[in-house]
Amino acid sequence: MPDDDLKERIRAAVDIVTVIGERIPLKKAGRNFVARCPFHQEKTPSFNVNPERQIYHCFGCGAGGDVFSFLMEHDKVSFPEALRTLAAKAGIALPDRQSARARTNEQARDIYYRANALAREYFIAALNDPARGEAARRYLERRGLTKETIATFGLGFAPDAWDGFMAYARPKGLSYEVLANAGLLVQNEQGRFYDRFRGRVMFPVVNDSGRTVAFGARTLDPAGEPKYLNSSESPVYQKGRILYGLYHARDAIRQENSVLIVEGYMDVLQLMQAGVRNVVATCGTALTREHGAILRRYADRIILLFDGDEAGIRAALRAGDVLLEAGIEGHVALLPGGEDPDTLVAAEGPEALRSIAERGMPYLQFRWETLARQNNLATISGRNRAISDMLDVIARVDDEMLRGMMASQVAQWGVTDETLVQRAIARRRRQTARREQEAAPPQKRWAQPHREKQLVAWMMDRPGVCQQVAEMGVERFSDPLLQEIATSLIRLKDLGELPSAAALLDENREDSRWAGAVAELAQMHCDEREIGRAVTQLVASLQLPYLKRQIDTLRARLRVEKGIRETIEITTEIQRLGREMEILNDLLHSGEN
């Protein structure tokens, strides 16, 4: 495990608002930032990022922590991986050492990387086999891919056999269960394993480190279904967070400050081969908000480059709505009728495609013009339908400023009063929030007595309060989690360290409930002018029920006790505890005056 000084250097060098803002859209709200929580479904933002304390907390589901916690939860990585990511971002070199636990976590993921690397090796060998790979090579040649492109992107071929890859993998030391979890094998109802990919051209999908995590597979059978088959999700592959081609395209995307999103693997390869390198595609899934957030790290301009037919327009509308919800107004560029990216580039050259992309229409305008073709805007009912459709989408945008500007634009296009448009959007947002609140299952939140939480919150960064709680005894807290947190804060104080939220988070990195509780406590309001008296009264208020329980226990013993000596001892102890309660009650009542 890295030493505390190194963790603090990294924590101090990166801004949690910047890191989280690269992954989800944040909106300034007073001194903090808010967003819709990425860890549970919601429409009304309850996710709060505190730049002063460098922590986040969701008031809806209770998730919380620091910048390390966020990366671990959002990016699904281990603490060492989060540490390396943030160290690289901060330009801080890490020492070459790992704990046994960190090595174990990495080895658990590494086995899936090994499985996919082995499959890639097998598929490439099959493609290059003179006999087995002939049909696949002919297909790739017909599609115009060069040997260099095929080699650069690691294209391969899965022979049409039920156990071809299984036989290849059997002596390599990887179990069938691991290969199935990696999405390379399938297990039937009888428990038998077989190859997932058969008779298909293989497109390796790599992560941002260039490691193979999944495959897309195109059938060679004209009647084969499905046409494309994709890897299932695995411990190293979440399809909603990976874009095909991004590893090879990211430098060009940064350089041009724009990215083209196309519809498939082959479009990416053909455009890159033609010199249009700022291009990506999703991996057989719909575009997600996470995809949009990833691309926004690299470029300001995101262009949806789809076919100009009805299917392409519908796809552009779906993708554009998702980007809009993420606070991103993309652009839409439609190819001329009957043209694919490769045919257009082959006929007119890459500059023709770049020209179409540059003339791409802002998505909001594209959406309005599409609705204008579907509705007669010369009629009140047609214009009302178009406006209503636009407002349904705009109401899902969290960024208030962006939402307001879009509402103003729609009011202008629809020739209607902007105030009415704003009211209609606000009404939609209220209705959506109410429906979600009614339909949502109760969140498993950490809800304990407020005064107990307040006292533990005041222990953070305050050794004096920690000492008062230590003298009181942590057993006075009714919640076991609060007892654990208070005990850790007291231990930090006794070690001469600052009992801070950051130190608490470092103590228990793998427990998301611990991180959420610490983040919630760290954000509780504290008036330093009143804290001295308030802490004393809180301690007293927690002592009283504890003393009462002790007295009740002693009285129960007294009812069954027969010995005179024991009776006197119990009675004396009850009287002593009673006097303590009187003193504490006087203290509490004096604070109310």
Side-chain angles (χ1 to χ4, degrees), residues 467-535:
Q467 182 60 37
Q468 286 181 265
V469 173
E471 293 170 359
M472 175 191 77
V474 297
E475 66 276 4
R476 304 302 194 264
F477 295 112
S478 61
D479 177 46
L481 184 55
L482 282 175
Q483 288 185 13
E484 289 182 47
I485 294 173
T487 300
S488 292
L489 288 167
I490 292 168
R491 184 173 63 252
L492 288 166
K493 185 268 300 179
D494 290 343
L495 291 171
E497 299 179 17
L498 182 67
S500 64
L504 283 174
L505 291 169
D506 285 339
E507 287 210 346
N508 201 348
R509 279 287 167 199
E510 304 302 322
D511 189 341
S512 59
R513 186 166 178 262
W514 172 278
V518 170
E520 180 179 343
L521 293 170
Q523 294 204 92
M524 293 183 74
H525 175 70
C526 173
D527 188 340
E528 294 290 347
R529 296 169 299 180
E530 300 292 332
I531 195 168
R533 172 185 290 183
V535 168

Coordinates of all heavy atoms in Angstrom, one line a residue, residues 467-535:
Q467 N -11.2 13.8 22.2 CA -10.9 13.5 23.6 C -12.2 13.4 24.4 O -12.4 12.5 25.3 CB -10.0 14.5 24.1 CG -9.5 14.2 25.6 CD -8.8 12.9 25.7 OE1 -8.0 12.5 24.8 NE2 -9.0 12.2 26.8
Q468 N -13.1 14.4 24.2 CA -14.4 14.4 24.9 C -15.2 13.1 24.7 O -15.8 12.5 25.6 CB -15.2 15.6 24.6 CG -14.7 16.9 25.1 CD -15.6 18.1 24.8 OE1 -15.3 18.8 23.8 NE2 -16.6 18.3 25.5
V469 N -15.2 12.7 23.4 CA -16.0 11.5 23.1 C -15.3 10.2 23.7 O -15.9 9.3 24.2 CB -16.1 11.3 21.6 CG1 -16.7 10.0 21.2 CG2 -17.0 12.5 21.0
A470 N -13.9 10.2 23.7 CA -13.2 9.1 24.3 C -13.5 9.0 25.8 O -13.7 7.9 26.3 CB -11.7 9.3 24.1
E471 N -13.6 10.1 26.5 CA -14.0 10.1 27.9 C -15.4 9.7 28.1 O -15.7 9.0 29.1 CB -13.7 11.5 28.5 CG -12.3 11.9 28.5 CD -12.0 13.4 28.9 OE1 -13.1 14.1 29.1 OE2 -10.9 13.8 28.9
M472 N -16.3 10.0 27.2 CA -17.7 9.6 27.2 C -17.8 8.1 27.0 O -18.5 7.4 27.7 CB -18.5 10.4 26.2 CG -20.0 9.9 26.1 SD -20.9 10.6 24.7 CE -20.2 9.5 23.4
G473 N -17.0 7.6 26.0 CA -17.1 6.2 25.6 C -17.9 6.0 24.3 O -19.1 6.5 24.3
V474 N -17.3 5.4 23.3 CA -18.0 5.2 22.0 C -19.2 4.3 22.1 O -20.1 4.3 21.3 CB -17.1 4.7 20.9 CG1 -16.0 5.7 20.7 CG2 -16.5 3.4 21.3
E475 N -19.3 3.5 23.2 CA -20.4 2.6 23.4 C -21.7 3.4 23.6 O -22.8 2.8 23.5 CB -20.2 1.6 24.5 CG -20.2 2.2 25.9 CD -18.8 2.8 26.2 OE1 -17.9 2.7 25.4 OE2 -18.6 3.2 27.4
R476 N -21.6 4.7 23.8 CA -22.8 5.5 24.0 C -23.6 5.6 22.6 O -24.8 5.9 22.6 CB -22.5 6.9 24.5 CG -21.7 7.0 25.8 CD -22.4 6.3 27.0 NE -21.9 6.6 28.3 CZ -20.9 5.9 28.9 NH1 -20.5 4.8 28.4 NH2 -20.5 6.3 30.1
F477 N -22.9 5.5 21.5 CA -23.5 5.6 20.2 C -24.4 4.3 20.0 O -23.9 3.2 20.2 CB -22.5 5.7 19.1 CG -21.8 7.0 19.1 CD1 -20.4 7.0 19.4 CD2 -22.4 8.2 18.9 CE1 -19.7 8.2 19.5 CE2 -21.7 9.4 19.0 CZ -20.3 9.4 19.3
S478 N -25.6 4.5 19.5 CA -26.5 3.3 19.3 C -26.2 2.6 17.9 O -26.5 1.5 17.7 CB -27.9 3.8 19.3 OG -28.2 4.7 18.2
D479 N -25.5 3.3 17.0 CA -25.2 2.7 15.7 C -23.8 2.1 15.6 O -22.8 2.8 15.9 CB -25.3 3.8 14.6 CG -25.0 3.3 13.2 OD1 -25.5 2.2 12.9 OD2 -24.2 4.0 12.5
P480 N -23.7 0.9 15.3 CA -22.3 0.2 15.2 C -21.4 0.9 14.3 O -20.2 1.0 14.5 CB -22.6 -1.2 14.7 CG -24.1 -1.4 15.1 CD -24.7 -0.1 15.0
L481 N -21.9 1.5 13.1 CA -21.0 2.1 12.2 C -20.4 3.4 12.8 O -19.3 3.7 12.6 CB -21.7 2.4 10.9 CG -20.9 3.0 9.7 CD1 -19.7 2.2 9.4 CD2 -21.8 3.2 8.5
L482 N -21.3 4.2 13.5 CA -20.8 5.4 14.1 C -19.8 5.0 15.2 O -18.8 5.8 15.4 CB -22.0 6.1 14.8 CG -22.8 6.9 13.8 CD1 -24.0 7.5 14.6 CD2 -22.0 8.1 13.2
Q483 N -20.0 3.9 15.9 CA -19.0 3.5 16.9 C -17.6 3.2 16.2 O -16.6 3.6 16.8 CB -19.5 2.2 17.6 CG -20.6 2.4 18.6 CD -21.0 1.2 19.3 OE1 -20.2 0.2 19.3 NE2 -22.1 1.1 20.0
E484 N -17.7 2.6 15.1 CA -16.4 2.3 14.4 C -15.7 3.5 13.9 O -14.5 3.7 14.1 CB -16.7 1.4 13.1 CG -17.1 0.0 13.5 CD -17.3 -0.8 12.2 OE1 -16.5 -0.8 11.3 OE2 -18.3 -1.5 12.1
I485 N -16.5 4.5 13.3 CA -15.9 5.7 12.9 C -15.3 6.5 14.0 O -14.2 7.0 13.9 CB -16.9 6.5 12.1 CG1 -17.3 5.8 10.8 CG2 -16.4 7.9 11.7 CD1 -18.5 6.4 10.0
A486 N -16.1 6.6 15.1 CA -15.6 7.4 16.3 C -14.3 6.7 16.8 O -13.4 7.4 17.2 CB -16.7 7.4 17.3
T487 N -14.3 5.4 16.9 CA -13.1 4.7 17.4 C -11.9 5.0 16.5 O -10.8 5.2 17.0 CB -13.4 3.2 17.4 OG1 -14.5 2.9 18.3 CG2 -12.2 2.4 17.9
S488 N -12.1 5.0 15.2 CA -11.0 5.3 14.3 C -10.5 6.7 14.5 O -9.3 7.0 14.5 CB -11.4 5.1 12.8 OG -11.7 3.7 12.6
L489 N -11.4 7.7 14.7 CA -11.0 9.1 14.9 C -10.2 9.2 16.2 O -9.2 9.9 16.2 CB -12.2 10.0 14.9 CG -12.9 10.2 13.5 CD1 -14.3 10.8 13.7 CD2 -12.1 11.1 12.6
I490 N -10.6 8.5 17.2 CA -9.9 8.6 18.5 C -8.5 8.0 18.3 O -7.5 8.5 18.9 CB -10.7 7.9 19.6 CG1 -12.0 8.7 19.9 CG2 -9.9 7.7 20.9 CD1 -13.0 8.0 20.8
R491 N -8.4 6.9 17.6 CA -7.1 6.2 17.4 C -6.2 7.1 16.6 O -5.0 7.2 17.0 CB -7.3 4.9 16.7 CG -6.0 4.1 16.5 CD -6.2 2.8 15.9 NE -6.8 2.8 14.6 CZ -8.0 2.5 14.2 NH1 -8.8 2.1 15.2 NH2 -8.5 2.5 13.0
L492 N -6.7 7.8 15.6 CA -5.9 8.7 14.8 C -5.4 9.9 15.7 O -4.2 10.3 15.7 CB -6.7 9.3 13.7 CG -7.0 8.4 12.5 CD1 -8.1 9.0 11.6 CD2 -5.7 8.1 11.7
K493 N -6.3 10.4 16.6 CA -5.9 11.4 17.5 C -4.8 10.9 18.5 O -3.8 11.6 18.7 CB -7.1 11.9 18.3 CG -6.9 13.1 19.3 CD -6.5 12.7 20.7 CE -7.6 11.8 21.3 NZ -7.2 11.4 22.7
D494 N -4.9 9.7 19.0 CA -3.9 9.1 19.9 C -2.6 8.9 19.3 O -1.5 8.9 19.9 CB -4.5 7.8 20.5 CG -5.6 8.0 21.5 OD1 -5.8 9.2 21.9 OD2 -6.4 7.1 21.7
L495 N -2.6 8.7 17.9 CA -1.4 8.5 17.2 C -0.7 9.8 16.8 O 0.4 9.8 16.2 CB -1.6 7.7 15.9 CG -2.0 6.2 16.1 CD1 -2.5 5.6 14.8 CD2 -0.9 5.4 16.7
G496 N -1.3 10.9 17.2 CA -0.8 12.2 16.9 C -1.1 12.7 15.4 O -0.5 13.6 15.0
E497 N -2.0 12.0 14.8 CA -2.4 12.3 13.4 C -3.7 13.2 13.4 O -4.5 13.1 14.4 CB -2.6 11.1 12.6 CG -1.3 10.2 12.4 CD -1.6 9.0 11.6 OE1 -2.6 8.9 10.9 OE2 -0.8 8.0 11.7
L498 N -3.9 13.9 12.4 CA -5.2 14.7 12.3 C -6.3 13.7 12.0 O -6.3 13.0 11.1 CB -5.1 15.7 11.1 CG -6.3 16.6 11.0 CD1 -6.4 17.6 12.2 CD2 -6.2 17.4 9.7
P499 N -7.4 13.8 12.9 CA -8.5 12.9 12.7 C -9.4 13.4 11.6 O -10.5 13.9 11.8 CB -9.2 12.9 14.0 CG -8.8 14.2 14.6 CD -7.5 14.5 14.1
S500 N -9.0 13.3 10.3 CA -9.7 13.9 9.2 C -10.5 12.9 8.4 O -10.3 11.7 8.5 CB -8.7 14.5 8.2 OG -7.8 13.5 7.7
A501 N -11.4 13.4 7.5 CA -12.2 12.5 6.7 C -11.3 11.8 5.7 O -11.5 10.6 5.4 CB -13.2 13.4 5.9
A502 N -10.2 12.4 5.2 CA -9.3 11.8 4.3 C -8.6 10.6 5.0 O -8.5 9.5 4.3 CB -8.2 12.8 3.8
A503 N -8.2 10.7 6.2 CA -7.6 9.6 6.9 C -8.6 8.5 7.1 O -8.2 7.3 7.1 CB -7.0 10.1 8.3
L504 N -9.8 8.8 7.4 CA -10.8 7.8 7.6 C -11.0 7.0 6.3 O -11.1 5.8 6.3 CB -12.2 8.4 8.0 CG -12.3 8.9 9.5 CD1 -13.6 9.6 9.7 CD2 -12.2 7.7 10.4
L505 N -11.1 7.7 5.2 CA -11.3 7.0 3.9 C -10.2 6.1 3.6 O -10.4 5.0 3.0 CB -11.5 8.1 2.8 CG -12.8 8.9 2.9 CD1 -12.8 10.0 1.9 CD2 -14.0 8.0 2.6
D506 N -9.0 6.5 3.9 CA -7.8 5.7 3.7 C -7.8 4.4 4.5 O -7.2 3.4 4.2 CB -6.5 6.4 4.0 CG -6.2 7.5 2.9 OD1 -6.7 7.3 1.8 OD2 -5.5 8.4 3.2
E507 N -8.5 4.4 5.7 CA -8.5 3.2 6.5 C -9.4 2.1 6.0 O -9.1 0.9 6.4 CB -9.1 3.6 7.9 CG -8.1 4.5 8.7 CD -8.3 4.3 10.2 OE1 -9.3 3.7 10.6 OE2 -7.4 4.7 11.0
N508 N -10.3 2.4 5.1 CA -11.3 1.3 4.7 C -11.7 1.5 3.3 O -12.8 1.9 3.0 CB -12.5 1.3 5.6 CG -13.2 -0.1 5.6 OD1 -12.9 -0.9 4.8 ND2 -14.1 -0.3 6.5
R509 N -10.7 1.4 2.3 CA -11.0 1.7 0.9 C -12.0 0.8 0.3 O -12.6 1.2 -0.7 CB -9.7 1.7 0.2 CG -8.8 2.9 0.3 CD -9.4 4.0 -0.4 NE -8.8 5.3 -0.1 CZ -9.3 6.5 -0.3 NH1 -10.5 6.6 -0.9 NH2 -8.7 7.6 0.0
E510 N -12.1 -0.4 0.7 CA -13.0 -1.4 0.0 C -14.4 -1.3 0.4 O -15.3 -2.0 -0.2 CB -12.4 -2.8 0.2 CG -11.0 -3.0 -0.2 CD -10.7 -2.6 -1.7 OE1 -11.6 -2.9 -2.5 OE2 -9.7 -2.0 -2.0
D511 N -14.8 -0.5 1.4 CA -16.2 -0.5 1.9 C -16.9 0.7 1.5 O -16.6 1.8 2.0 CB -16.1 -0.6 3.5 CG -17.5 -0.8 4.1 OD1 -18.5 -0.6 3.4 OD2 -17.6 -1.3 5.3
S512 N -17.8 0.6 0.5 CA -18.5 1.8 0.0 C -19.4 2.4 1.0 O -19.7 3.6 1.0 CB -19.2 1.4 -1.3 OG -20.2 0.4 -1.0
R513 N -20.0 1.5 1.9 CA -20.9 2.0 2.9 C -20.1 2.9 3.9 O -20.6 4.0 4.3 CB -21.5 0.9 3.7 CG -22.6 1.3 4.7 CD -23.4 0.1 5.1 NE -24.4 0.5 6.1 CZ -24.3 0.4 7.4 NH1 -23.2 -0.1 7.9 NH2 -25.2 0.8 8.3
W514 N -18.9 2.5 4.3 CA -18.0 3.3 5.1 C -17.7 4.7 4.4 O -17.8 5.7 5.1 CB -16.7 2.6 5.4 CG -15.6 3.3 6.1 CD1 -14.7 4.1 5.5 CD2 -15.3 3.2 7.5 NE1 -13.9 4.6 6.5 CE2 -14.2 4.1 7.7 CE3 -15.9 2.6 8.6 CZ2 -13.6 4.3 9.0 CZ3 -15.3 2.7 9.8 CH2 -14.2 3.6 10.0
A515 N -17.4 4.6 3.2 CA -17.0 5.8 2.4 C -18.2 6.8 2.3 O -18.1 8.0 2.5 CB -16.5 5.5 1.0
G516 N -19.4 6.2 2.1 CA -20.6 7.1 2.0 C -20.9 7.7 3.3 O -21.3 8.9 3.4
A517 N -20.8 7.0 4.4 CA -21.0 7.5 5.8 C -20.1 8.6 6.1 O -20.4 9.7 6.6 CB -21.0 6.4 6.8
V518 N -18.8 8.4 5.8 CA -17.7 9.4 6.1 C -18.0 10.7 5.3 O -17.9 11.8 5.8 CB -16.3 8.9 5.8 CG1 -15.3 10.0 5.9 CG2 -16.0 7.8 6.8
A519 N -18.4 10.5 4.0 CA -18.6 11.7 3.2 C -19.8 12.5 3.7 O -19.9 13.7 3.7 CB -18.9 11.3 1.7
E520 N -20.9 11.8 4.1 CA -22.1 12.4 4.7 C -21.7 13.2 5.9 O -22.1 14.4 6.1 CB -23.2 11.4 5.0 CG -24.4 12.0 5.5 CD -25.5 11.0 5.8 OE1 -25.5 9.9 5.3 OE2 -26.5 11.4 6.6
L521 N -21.0 12.6 6.8 CA -20.6 13.3 8.1 C -19.7 14.5 7.8 O -19.9 15.5 8.4 CB -19.8 12.3 9.0 CG -20.6 11.1 9.5 CD1 -19.7 10.1 10.2 CD2 -21.7 11.6 10.5
A522 N -18.8 14.4 6.8 CA -17.9 15.5 6.5 C -18.6 16.7 6.0 O -18.1 17.8 6.1 CB -16.8 15.0 5.5
Q523 N -19.8 16.5 5.4 CA -20.5 17.7 4.9 C -21.5 18.3 5.8 O -22.2 19.2 5.4 CB -21.2 17.2 3.6 CG -20.3 16.9 2.5 CD -20.9 17.0 1.1 OE1 -20.8 18.1 0.5 NE2 -21.5 16.0 0.6
M524 N -21.7 17.7 7.0 CA -22.6 18.3 8.0 C -22.2 19.7 8.5 O -21.0 19.9 8.7 CB -22.8 17.3 9.1 CG -23.5 16.0 8.7 SD -23.8 14.9 10.1 CE -25.2 15.7 10.9
H525 N -23.1 20.6 8.6 CA -22.8 22.0 8.9 C -22.3 22.1 10.4 O -22.7 21.4 11.3 CB -24.0 22.8 8.8 CG -23.8 24.2 9.3 ND1 -23.1 25.1 8.6 CD2 -24.3 24.9 10.3 CE1 -23.1 26.3 9.2 NE2 -23.8 26.2 10.3
C526 N -21.3 22.9 10.5 CA -20.8 23.2 11.9 C -20.5 24.6 12.1 O -19.8 25.3 11.3 CB -19.5 22.4 12.0 SG -18.6 22.7 13.6
D527 N -21.1 25.2 13.1 CA -20.8 26.6 13.5 C -19.8 26.6 14.6 O -20.0 26.3 15.7 CB -22.1 27.3 14.0 CG -22.0 28.8 14.2 OD1 -20.8 29.2 14.3 OD2 -23.0 29.5 14.3
E528 N -18.6 27.0 14.2 CA -17.4 27.0 15.1 C -17.7 27.8 16.4 O -17.1 27.5 17.4 CB -16.1 27.5 14.4 CG -15.7 26.6 13.3 CD -15.1 25.2 13.8 OE1 -14.9 25.1 15.0 OE2 -15.0 24.3 13.0
R529 N -18.5 28.9 16.3 CA -18.7 29.7 17.4 C -19.5 29.0 18.5 O -19.5 29.4 19.7 CB -19.5 31.0 17.0 CG -18.7 31.9 16.0 CD -19.6 32.9 15.4 NE -20.7 32.4 14.7 CZ -21.6 33.1 14.0 NH1 -21.6 34.4 14.1 NH2 -22.6 32.5 13.4
E530 N -20.3 28.0 18.1 CA -21.2 27.3 19.1 C -20.7 25.9 19.4 O -21.3 25.3 20.3 CB -22.6 27.2 18.5 CG -23.3 28.6 18.1 CD -23.6 29.4 19.4 OE1 -23.8 28.7 20.4 OE2 -23.6 30.6 19.3
I531 N -19.6 25.5 18.8 CA -19.3 24.1 18.9 C -18.9 23.7 20.3 O -19.2 22.5 20.8 CB -18.1 23.7 17.9 CG1 -18.0 22.2 17.8 CG2 -16.8 24.3 18.4 CD1 -17.1 21.8 16.7
G532 N -18.2 24.5 21.1 CA -17.8 24.1 22.5 C -19.0 23.7 23.3 O -19.1 22.6 23.9
R533 N -20.0 24.6 23.5 CA -21.2 24.3 24.3 C -22.0 23.2 23.6 O -22.5 22.3 24.3 CB -22.0 25.6 24.4 CG -23.4 25.3 25.1 CD -24.3 26.5 25.1 NE -23.8 27.5 26.0 CZ -24.4 28.7 26.2 NH1 -25.5 28.9 25.6 NH2 -23.9 29.5 27.1
A534 N -22.1 23.2 22.3 CA -22.9 22.2 21.6 C -22.4 20.8 21.8 O -23.2 19.9 22.0 CB -23.0 22.5 20.1
V535 N -21.1 20.6 21.8 CA -20.5 19.3 22.0 C -20.8 18.8 23.4 O -21.1 17.7 23.6 CB -19.0 19.3 21.7 CG1 -18.3 18.1 22.2 CG2 -18.7 19.5 20.2

